[in-house]
Amino acid sequence: MTTAAPTQEAVYLDASRRLASAEPLPSFAARLREHGAERFAALGFPTARRGNEYWKYTDVAPIARGAFALPERPSPAPPPPPVVEGAAVATLSDGFVAGAPGAIAGGAYAGSLRGAPAAALEAAERALGAAADFEGEAFAALNTALMQDVFMLYAPAGARLPAPIHLAVTTAPGAASQPRALIVCERGAEASVIISHAGEAGAPYFANTITEVALAADARLRLFHLRNHPANALHVETTSARLDRDAAMRSFVFDQGAGLVRHNLNVALAEPGASADAAGVSVTGRRAHLDNHLFLHHESAETHSSALYKGVALGASRTVFIGRVLVPQNSQRISTRLTNKSLLLSPDAEVDSQPLLEIYADDIAATHGSAVGQLDEEALFYLNSRGIGAETATAMLINGFLAEAVAELEPASLAAYAEAAVRAALSGGAEA
């Protein structure tokens, strides 16, 4: 008589139970991990796509059936990409903080939750698990259940970090890493954070990442995600933020897709004056799959949001954009803009786009739009007629199309890095 092999869900739940005897997290984080395991046991992987609108366009079966192992220690991490000169670098390798600045001038802290000072721990107890929906979202529950370490950036009231923080997140081949980051900016604090995601080529890996953001009144955060995975990588990421009175967050994402990439960006505009601006650029090729889900929730009156996502689909890639803006009845005097535009440059590529406004208030200014098209043949002809070759002309038009989303990146070195990444992706992305 043969015994059926345990499901991958059972493997992960068993790993979560074993973590209770591992190097301890603070007690509030350990309790959260236990609750995350309970929720994942109840939810399971969202493999049934019929009637499951949230996962309609992305099949998670390769994750649910893949034999990935939870790392027991960090693996050697490759050097992080030189994104911004002078940035303070931290490393989150296979879910473990493997290097970080620690104490920063002005009372700020960037490092593992285990070594955080008292003020940061107090803030973490309030914020960890508060923004990410691990009650109802399976991958957030799984990350919480398998949480082994947490990278925390804490900026106390009035602090202005002197340099950007670059968090380099890496995953080893064959691993099921669960990286977790928490960013807390107290009243009037300002910070810039770059999160780069990468891994070594080889066996497929599964990275399941959560970044939670808590911005107190008048706080400012610039948050950049740069993803550069090998073609067979599987990556699910949730970025969830809560913005208090007059707080502001600007986010930017650059993505090339991979075997599967899904990013959920959820922002709660919780108090008057809160503002969120999101931008994204993607260049996908070969058989890459990229699924961006954006949720901007205007919980309070007198809040602002905007989103501009642009993509280029090459090869046999597939990109998905689902953007939802929710304005409840009591949230008056709202402004919001939601735009997604894509270039479809291959007959084998596919683009799905749904910008959604769900509005129950009547004192608002709202626009939304979506467009999918090809390069302008007349513009190409004009450039060719002026002696510009077809390849160069195509690149010029694509760069011009993406420029609007990249234009406001700061500092200039970050914009230059994004532009170089676009060029590299275009040069290698057309193969099916």
Side-chain angles (χ1 to χ4, degrees):
M1 180 178 178
T2 59
T3 303
T7 65
Q8 195 63 19
E9 291 158 333
V11 170
Y12 289 144
L13 288 170
D14 183 60
S16 179
R17 286 188 287 270
R18 292 198 305 272
L19 289 178
S21 59
E23 185 177 351
L25 289 168
S27 59
F28 64 86
R31 290 193 298 271
L32 190 69
R33 184 170 61 198
E34 292 175 5
H35 188 45
E38 293 172 359
R39 293 308 305 147
F40 182 68
L43 294 167
F45 284 117
T47 52
R49 297 166 70 190
R50 184 182 297 275
N52 184 359
E53 192 67 25
Y54 195 60
W55 290 97
K56 177 180 179 181
Y57 295 100
T58 297
D59 183 5
V60 303
I63 295 173
R65 298 170 186 165
F68 303 106
L70 183 70
E72 297 181 356
R73 61 187 63 84
S75 60
V83 179
V84 174
E85 186 177 352
V89 177
T91 302
L92 194 51
S93 175
D94 294 323
F96 295 89
V97 178
I104 301 174
Y109 173 79
S112 173
L113 187 63
R114 289 192 177 94
L121 281 175
E122 182 180 342
E125 187 167 7
R126 296 193 309 267
L128 189 66
D133 177 23
F134 69 92
E135 294 285 350
E137 210 292 298
F139 286 97
L142 178 62
N143 177 286
T144 305
L146 297 178
M147 182 169 52
Q148 299 183 83
D149 203 351
V150 179
F151 170 81
M152 183 176 188
L153 173 62
Y154 174 71
R160 296 186 176 183
L161 270 62
I165 302 296
H166 179 182
L167 178 60
V169 182
T170 62
T171 301
S177 70
Q178 311 293 316
R180 186 93 178 211
L182 175 65
I183 301 170
V184 178
C185 293
E186 303 285 21
R187 178 182 292 270
E190 297 184 12
S192 294
V193 179
I194 302 155
I195 305 179
S196 63
H197 305 267
E200 295 183 17
Y205 60 75
F206 165 43
N208 180 33
T209 310
I210 289 182
T211 300
E212 291 185 286
V213 175
L215 300 186
D218 295 306
R220 300 286 184 271
L221 175 68
R222 292 186 297 175
L223 179 62
F224 310 100
H225 286 277
L226 308 172
R227 299 191 189 93
N228 186 20
H229 291 292
N232 59 358
L234 309 172
H235 184 195
V236 176
E237 178 163 16
T238 299
T239 303
S240 296
R242 175 191 164 91
L243 280 56
D244 290 348
R245 181 178 292 272
D246 296 322
M249 184 175 92
R250 300 181 67 88
S251 70
F252 176 83
V253 178
F254 173 74
D255 219 318
Q256 300 179 63
L260 182 156
V261 173
R262 166 68 175 257
H263 184 208
N264 306 314
L265 174 57
N266 309 310
V267 182
L269 299 149
E271 296 182 355
S275 174
D277 297 289
V281 166
S282 65
V283 180
T284 55
R286 299 181 173 87
R287 298 187 180 276
H289 181 96
L290 171 62
D291 184 351
N292 275 306
H293 268 60
L294 173 69
F295 179 41
L296 302 172
H297 188 182
H298 289 262
E299 295 181 358
S300 171
E302 300 177 2
T303 50
H304 161 81
S305 69
S306 72
L308 173 63
Y309 278 65
K310 288 194 168 187
V312 179
L314 305 162
S317 64
R318 184 178 190 183
T319 65
V320 179
F321 175 84
I322 309 293
R324 179 182 173 217
V325 177
L326 174 60
V327 183
Q329 186 173 358
N330 294 330
S331 296
Q332 305 290 343
R333 297 175 298 283
I334 301 295
S335 65
T336 182
R337 299 188 306 274
L338 178 61
T339 306
N340 176 228
K341 297 181 179 180
S342 299
L343 287 176
L344 188 60
L345 301 186
S346 167
D348 298 316
E350 183 176 346
V351 173
D352 296 284
S353 177
Q354 292 184 18
L356 307 169
L357 298 183
E358 190 173 341
I359 297 173
Y360 301 94
D362 52 20
D363 186 1
I364 66 165
T367 62
H368 73 300
S370 173
V372 180
Q374 298 178 333
L375 291 176
D376 187 335
E377 292 293 338
E378 291 186 3
L380 278 172
F381 176 80
Y382 175 82
L383 293 172
N384 293 159
S385 69
R386 295 301 184 273
I388 299 174
E391 184 175 334
T392 302
T394 297
M396 290 174 63
L397 292 178
I398 292 174
N399 288 330
F401 169 75
L402 298 175
E404 181 183 6
V406 179
E408 297 185 10
L409 282 180
E410 295 179 357
S413 57
L414 180 61
Y417 179 86
E419 290 167 357
V422 167
R423 289 193 298 271
L426 289 172
S427 66
E431 298 175 21

